[in-house]
Amino acid sequence: MYKLLTEMFPYNRSITGDGVRETLNRISKEIPIKETCIKSGTKVFDWTVPNEWNVNSAKIFNSKGDVIVDFADNNLFLMSYSSPINDTMSLQELKTHIITDSTRPDWVPYSTSYYEDKWAFCLPYNFVKEMVDDNYKVEIDATKIAGDLIYAEAFIDNGSNKEILISSYICHPSMANDSLSGVVLTVQLYKELKNSNLGYNYRFLFTPETIGTICFLFNNRDKIKSNLEYGLVATCVGDAGGFTYKKARNKEADINRIVDYIFSESNAKTKVVNFSPFGSDERQYCSPGFDLDVGVLTRSMYSCFPEYHTSADNLQFVSEENLTESLQMYLKIIYAYEINCKFYRRNPFCEPQMGKYNMYRTTGGGGEDTLNTEVQQRMWILNYADGKTDLLTIAKESGYSLEDLKRVLDSLIDIGLIIKESN
Ligand code: ZN
């Protein structure tokens, strides 16, 4: 994952343009994806897809002709969607087009202006402080013309009518944790889940944040409402912080309960926060018209780490080790959700006479303790097999793990005492 992240890190991503194409092209070398193009000017709900933005070069020269700022050195230097300009101006005037962050004075802040025609350079506060009075030549060779917004999907069809969505965004330029770590984790999740024997279908989305997600939801509005079981927005998964889960807006969402459970079983540092209408693409998924069960699973939550939206969110800020830990956490949640189910007894009146089915004995070795445990687990399941209680509830009530209970449940299904509700 880190290698792929390193390779894609320098691309000049934005919500449209060649950086997005390059990114999707690179992802398509890893996994099969289907791209969807939406023309500039297309109306999607209350939004209009903007023109496509591309940059050839962007520089600031001093009066001696020295290049003092060059987009080629760091694409964060140029505010995303900056308009073209070729002009000479005083420091005072130039400063009205410079964005700095005095609270993080040595870092380049990340800034965008997708829907207003502006241009700006984003520079470290301490660099700007040292700039002397001079006539500066500004050259931004960029285009904003009709083109396409592109998003892409990978899909694993397990023959279910319900699907799980892993949503990542591909619009941030050279930042490693915000956006890109989620992209490489999503690619790896596809690879891990492709040949697993799973019940739900899985969709993996690579889309420009907000407008791209709105396009995806617009194109799939009926299907996604009826098909989506749950979703996770994958971002900020490469840093060393503990895990944070932001709940889906629907408080009853099963995914909220599953993550809670997995976190409680984990040795990692974890935190659960309630839904709020700020942040990433959960804002669209959880909007009232959709109200989908989509949460966000990060390590340090976006906007809660000092490096966020600056040049310090760089390749040193993330690691393969952290990405792998995050991948394992995603997989645990995904597998737990797969295991969880509701079930009912074929004959629900009183207990079955378990000896009749040879259900007081274990098949393998194990001493008396094992035998007792299995019998107890069977009794928990048989008693709660009411078609309403799910395995997760029994795990929490009984203290037995979801995996152990699943094994016992399967044995009871095998001998025909229990019938599983279909998903
Ligand atoms: Zn961001």
Side-chain angles (χ1 to χ4, degrees):
M1 286 181 278
Y2 186 77
K3 191 169 164 283
L4 179 61
L5 188 148
T6 306
E7 222 178 293
M8 298 196 291
F9 183 79
Y11 303 167
N12 184 42
R13 276 171 295 276
S14 183
I15 53 174
T16 63
D18 290 339
V20 171
R21 281 192 190 86
E22 258 181 298
T23 303
L24 292 178
N25 192 28
R26 183 62 191 84
I27 292 171
S28 74
K29 295 199 171 96
E30 299 292 319
I31 61 172
I33 51 171
K34 187 190 96 190
E35 292 184 5
T36 302
C37 297
I38 297 112
K39 293 256 164 285
S40 306
T42 306
K43 301 262 185 277
V44 282
F45 299 120
D46 200 36
W47 295 64
T48 305
V49 174
N51 279 338
E52 193 178 315
W53 181 65
N54 280 298
V55 185
N56 294 318
S57 69
K59 289 174 188 170
I60 303 176
F61 302 83
N62 64 17
S63 59
K64 287 185 270 176
D66 306 325
V67 178
I68 61 154
V69 174
D70 191 346
F71 168 81
D73 296 333
N74 187 342
N75 52 33
L76 288 173
F77 285 154
L78 186 65
M79 180 174 74
S80 193
Y81 261 73
S82 280
S83 313
I85 181 156
N86 191 341
D87 207 354
T88 301
M89 62 195 72
S90 66
L91 177 63
Q92 201 188 0
E93 195 187 341
L94 177 60
K95 275 188 173 174
T96 65
H97 294 276
I98 290 179
I99 295 164
T100 63
D101 181 350
S102 60
T103 66
R104 298 177 286 183
D106 291 317
W107 301 343
V108 182
Y110 167 55
S111 189
T112 67
S113 177
Y114 301 134
Y115 300 99
E116 227 182 306
D117 238 356
K118 288 197 224 168
W119 65 268
F121 283 87
C122 307
L123 299 169
Y125 175 82
N126 284 340
F127 175 87
V128 178
K129 216 171 63 181
E130 300 298 316
M131 285 174 80
V132 292
D133 262 337
D134 198 356
N135 281 322
Y136 291 97
K137 186 167 185 273
V138 178
E139 265 183 19
I140 301 176
D141 179 7
T143 54
K144 260 195 246 187
I145 50 174
D148 290 300
L149 178 146
I150 312 173
Y151 67 78
E153 297 156 82
F155 189 65
I156 301 174
D157 188 350
N158 291 316
S160 172
N161 56 8
K162 285 284 175 188
E163 67 179 55
I164 312 305
L165 175 70
I166 306 295
S167 181
S168 69
Y169 49 95
I170 48 163
C171 52
H172 286 40
S174 298
M175 282 166 285
N177 199 37
D178 185 12
S179 175
L180 205 50
S181 67
V183 172
V184 297
L185 179 129
T186 302
V187 169
Q188 192 61 32
L189 267 180
Y190 174 92
K191 293 180 183 176
E192 301 280 335
L193 298 178
K194 178 74 186 101
N195 296 313
S196 306
N197 192 17
L198 299 172
Y200 294 110
N201 296 341
Y202 285 80
R203 191 174 299 279
F204 305 82
L205 183 61
F206 305 93
T207 186
E209 199 177 20
T210 307
I211 184 69
T213 306
I214 291 169
C215 288
F216 167 76
L217 285 168
F218 184 81
N219 286 345
N220 297 281
R221 53 195 178 278
D222 299 325
K223 201 173 72 179
I224 199 149
K225 277 187 81 165
S226 56
N227 293 3
L228 194 82
E229 180 65 26
Y230 74 89
L232 290 170
V233 174
T235 183
C236 302
V237 287
D239 68 294
F243 288 96
T244 309
Y245 174 67
K246 179 178 171 181
K247 286 183 185 174
R249 195 182 72 130
N250 169 20
K251 285 197 165 55
E252 310 306 316
D254 280 343
I255 185 61
N256 292 347
R257 298 169 56 233
I258 291 279
V259 177
D260 241 342
Y261 171 76
I262 293 295
F263 275 12
S264 72
E265 299 277 290
S266 166
N267 296 323
K269 205 173 146 221
T270 59
K271 185 167 97 177
V272 176
V273 297
N274 283 329
F275 179 81
S276 58
F278 319 106
S280 183
D281 286 324
E282 69 277 14
R283 304 187 331 257
Q284 316 312 328
Y285 295 123
C286 298
S287 60
F290 286 104
D291 197 16
L292 302 169
D293 288 358
V294 176
V296 186
L297 179 57
T298 66
R299 296 187 72 109
S300 296
M301 182 57 75
Y302 44 66
S303 73
C304 294
F305 52 97
E307 296 81 359
Y308 173 73
H309 278 187
T310 74
S311 53
D313 181 357
N314 58 24
L315 294 171
Q316 286 72 51
F317 187 58
V318 300
S319 74
E320 181 67 33
E321 196 190 343
N322 299 337
L323 288 164
T324 303
E325 256 181 39
S326 301
L327 180 77
Q328 296 309 328
M329 185 59 89
Y330 268 81
L331 287 171
K332 272 185 203 156
I333 291 164
I334 287 167
Y335 290 137
Y337 203 107
E338 282 273 340
I339 284 177
N340 195 31
C341 59
K342 290 175 181 164
F343 43 88
Y344 57 92
R345 291 253 302 278
R346 202 180 282 282
N347 178 358
F349 299 103
C350 301
E351 289 175 340
Q353 191 182 355
M354 283 160 72
K356 227 167 79 181
Y357 308 96
N358 215 18
M359 292 303 280
Y360 277 121
R361 294 175 192 284
T362 52
T363 45
E368 203 181 0
D369 285 350
T370 320
L371 181 74
N372 283 341
T373 302
E374 280 205 22
V375 170
Q376 284 184 39
Q377 289 167 342
R378 277 179 206 132
M379 292 179 85
W380 274 99
I381 287 176
L382 286 164
N383 199 289
Y384 277 94
D386 55 8
K388 293 181 286 203
T389 310
D390 64 8
L391 207 58
L392 178 64
T393 304
I394 304 172
K396 288 205 269 195
E397 296 273 331
S398 69
Y400 292 120
S401 78
L402 206 51
E403 290 81 8
D404 285 349
L405 291 173
K406 176 66 166 61
R407 232 178 348 260
V408 172
L409 172 67
D410 284 345
S411 70
L412 292 168
I413 292 171
D414 283 349
I415 60 166
L417 283 176
I418 280 184
I419 296 166
K420 194 180 146 189
E421 297 269 10
S422 57
N423 287 330

